[in-house]
Amino acid sequence: REMLSSSIRSASRLLARPSAGVARRALSTGTPNVTLRYFDSRGRAQGIRYALKDAEVDFKDDRVSLQHIISGNWFNLKADPNISGPFGVLPVLQWDDYRLGQTEAIAGYLYHKLGHAEGLSLEDAAMSSALVSCAHQDVIVMCLQVLNVVGTAPDLKDEQIGQAVQSCTVRMNGILPRLEKLVGSKDYFLKESPVMGDFCIYDALDQCKLILGDNVLDTYPGLKAFMDRMANRPNIAKYIASGDRPLFLTGAPQEAQILQKIQNVPKL
């Protein structure tokens, strides 16, 4: 019985360790040379940035500027696998000599590299991957669709913009209750420190708030507490306060005006 109690206490201490400390142990073999390459926007890379910042990884945040896209030079960069990775798309993670593309693959790689798997099961790893997928394939995709609809058709009437926002709202009304149930009253989704799934959901819901308004989580106390907890993690709070975080979701020069249009339209 005493040995069992000791094991339980040890496991509890393990799960309670902050992710930065776990990452330091995971990186104890040396300081890696890390570059994350993406566009100058949040898009599909911001959750990865949060995870690296939270873990105190010294990485190069290499951003392809909007000027490269407007000028057409991005197509030249895209043709270079040293820049656009094995699939010709961003984000791309370079970790020492290893280069990896695709957001969800990078998230899975960092789940292990940053020590998130410590104390968790294979099933927990699968759930973290599911949260990453939900963040990018469901929430962020819906948010970007609204931006694209309004941004590519500047003559849209308010009613049409409202319909695009309503479509996103309906979709989110199906997702948010499920996320609320998963997080419940826990600090984070899987353990007492965040893993990749947490960072990506945090980013996705933050982007959702920009589209649907700050009150979108008002009826989800578990998610609201989770968002506050993530934003107040010391390294994330410091990163946001520094101004280094990209301002917009897509980086498009007219995005501020698009968001203003969306926010000014009466809800249907």
Side-chain angles (χ1 to χ4, degrees), residues 119-159:
L120 294 181
S121 66
L122 177 62
E123 289 74 18
D124 292 324
M127 177 54 75
S128 178
S129 295
L131 290 168
V132 172
S133 180
C134 175
H136 293 105
Q137 301 300 333
D138 295 319
V139 181
I140 290 177
V141 163
M142 285 299 304
C143 293
L144 295 182
Q145 281 180 357
V146 176
L147 284 175
N148 288 335
V149 166
V150 179
T152 56
D155 296 329
L156 279 182
K157 297 179 180 179
D158 284 356
E159 181 180 355

Side-chain angles (χ1 to χ4, degrees), residues 46-123:
Q46 193 57 39
I48 298 169
R49 291 187 182 112
Y50 286 136
L52 291 169
K53 287 290 185 180
D54 189 75
E56 298 178 344
V57 174
D58 184 12
F59 73 101
K60 180 181 179 182
D61 189 2
D62 187 15
R63 303 180 189 177
V64 176
S65 70
L66 182 65
Q67 284 68 33
H68 281 299
I69 300 172
I70 293 175
S71 68
N73 189 46
W74 163 238
F75 293 102
N76 297 323
L77 300 176
K78 183 181 177 71
D80 184 352
N82 292 318
I83 295 175
S84 63
F87 302 104
V89 295
L90 301 182
V92 166
L93 178 74
Q94 183 80 38
W95 191 288
D96 289 333
D97 295 330
Y98 182 61
R99 185 179 300 121
L100 180 64
Q102 300 290 357
T103 303
E104 292 175 29
I106 294 170
Y109 179 74
L110 291 178
Y111 177 85
H112 294 281
K113 272 293 185 180
L114 301 181
H116 295 174
E118 186 171 323
L120 294 181
S121 66
L122 177 62
E123 289 74 18

